[in-house]
Amino acid sequence: MAKANKTRYESEMKTDIPPKGETKKKFKDPSAPKRPPSAFFLFCSEYRPEIKGERPGRFIGDVAKRLGEMWNNTAADGKQPYEKNAAKLKGKYEKDIAAYRAKGKPDAAKKGVGEAEKSKKKEEKEDGEDEEDEDEEKDDE
């Protein structure tokens, strides 16, 4: 059974065609402001040490599940301070991102363009080496 599956897989992979176009990784500027945490994440940052302290051997998923249950069981009044803090952080982030965008293109983005130019020059250099190889072959004849 396993051999049949393996041969079927190999035959399918021979005819498999990858999607068209290149997927380029989006450049992320390290100097850009970071997004603020949500009210839930602020809640988690406060209660995570407490939950880990109860049972130090718990897995990350178990801790996250417990935090989610606690958040869902918390009344609206209990969530309100976290939501206010999250709104305040979001307002600050919006001001920071507006100022960041007003500056224009950041230096790091220009570096990304420079790297693309370097790769083009490298390709041109490699093309030039191919031409030199052809010239050498002609001289040998």
Side-chain angles (χ1 to χ4, degrees):
M1 180 76 175
K3 288 182 181 180
N5 284 337
K6 186 175 180 180
T7 55
R8 179 186 55 81
Y9 172 78
E10 288 173 352
S11 66
E12 287 177 1
M13 287 295 109
K14 287 179 184 176
T15 59
D16 187 36
I17 300 171
K20 291 184 180 180
E22 288 185 24
T23 56
K24 291 187 178 183
K25 189 172 182 181
K26 204 172 190 183
F27 178 75
K28 187 173 182 180
D29 184 15
S31 65
K34 293 187 177 183
R35 294 184 68 175
S38 66
F40 173 68
F41 280 103
L42 294 172
F43 175 84
C44 289
S45 66
E46 185 175 320
Y47 285 98
R48 186 174 285 112
E50 182 180 315
I51 292 175
K52 282 188 171 183
E54 290 173 5
R55 294 170 111 185
R58 277 189 166 176
F59 293 109
I60 295 170
D62 295 335
V63 173
K65 190 181 286 188
R66 178 72 179 121
L67 286 167
E69 290 171 359
M70 287 175 63
W71 178 254
N72 288 334
N73 294 334
T74 303
D77 295 339
K79 293 179 182 180
Q80 194 171 16
Y82 302 105
E83 290 169 351
K84 282 184 180 178
N85 195 6
K88 185 168 54 172
L89 291 172
K90 185 177 180 182
K92 182 182 179 300
Y93 168 76
E94 288 173 353
K95 289 178 186 174
D96 291 345
I97 199 76
Y100 171 77
R101 288 181 180 156
K103 280 194 315 187
K105 291 193 176 188
D107 294 335
K110 291 177 185 175
K111 288 180 185 176
V113 171
E115 291 172 5
E117 290 175 10
K118 287 179 187 176
S119 65
K120 284 182 184 177
K121 287 180 183 177
K122 187 176 179 182
E123 288 174 2
E124 290 173 3
K125 185 178 178 182
E126 291 173 357
D127 291 341
E129 290 174 0
D130 292 341
E131 291 172 4
E132 289 174 8
D133 292 340
E134 291 173 5
D135 291 340
E136 289 175 8
E137 289 175 6
K138 289 179 183 176
D139 292 340
D140 291 340
E141 293 175 357

